[in-house]
Amino acid sequence: MNWYLTVIKEHYADFKGRARRKEFWMFMLINWVISMVLAIIGGLIHFTLLGSIYSLAVLVPTLGVGVRRLHDMGKSGWWYLIALVPIVGAIYLIYLWCQDSQAEANEWGANPKA
C-alpha cells in the first residue's frame, strides 16, 4: 500500500525521474484491486459511475508512473504511445515494463535501486 500512496501523494503528476519495477507493479496491482472493489460496490448501489470516477481521478498518476517506468529502462516516455497499436503495442509495452532497470544513471536520473 505504501507504493500506491507514494505515487499518489508524492508523484501525482510527475513525469520526470525513474520508477523501479516494484513501485510500478505494486501501484498497478493496488489500483486494479481498488477499481474492482469500486465496480462491485457501484453495481450493488446502482451507481456504476463510481469506478469510472476513480479511474479518472488516478489517470494522471497512472500515466506518470508508466512514463517513469519507461525512463528507468532508458526509454523515452513517448514509448507509451506504442500501446495505440492494436494488441501488439500493448503486449510490447507490458514487455518493456517487465524489463530490469538500467544499472547506471541515465538522462532521467540515478538508478532508484541504488
Side-chain angles (χ1 to χ4, degrees), residues 27-99:
F27 174 81
M28 294 306 253
L29 174 68
I30 294 169
N31 191 29
W32 181 80
V33 168
I34 291 171
S35 294
M36 291 300 111
V37 168
L38 289 176
I40 292 168
I41 292 171
L44 291 174
I45 64 172
H46 303 292
F47 185 65
T48 55
L49 287 177
L50 190 60
S52 299
I53 292 169
Y54 169 76
S55 296
L56 189 59
V58 295
L59 176 65
V60 173
T62 301
L63 292 173
V65 76
V67 167
R68 288 186 295 111
R69 179 70 199 119
L70 289 169
H71 288 172
D72 194 39
M73 295 168 297
K75 303 247 184 249
S76 169
W78 290 104
W79 273 95
Y80 212 124
L81 297 177
I82 194 85
L84 296 175
V85 177
I87 302 170
V88 176
I91 291 170
Y92 185 66
L93 186 60
I94 291 170
Y95 167 77
L96 287 177
W97 285 334
C98 291
Q99 299 302 303

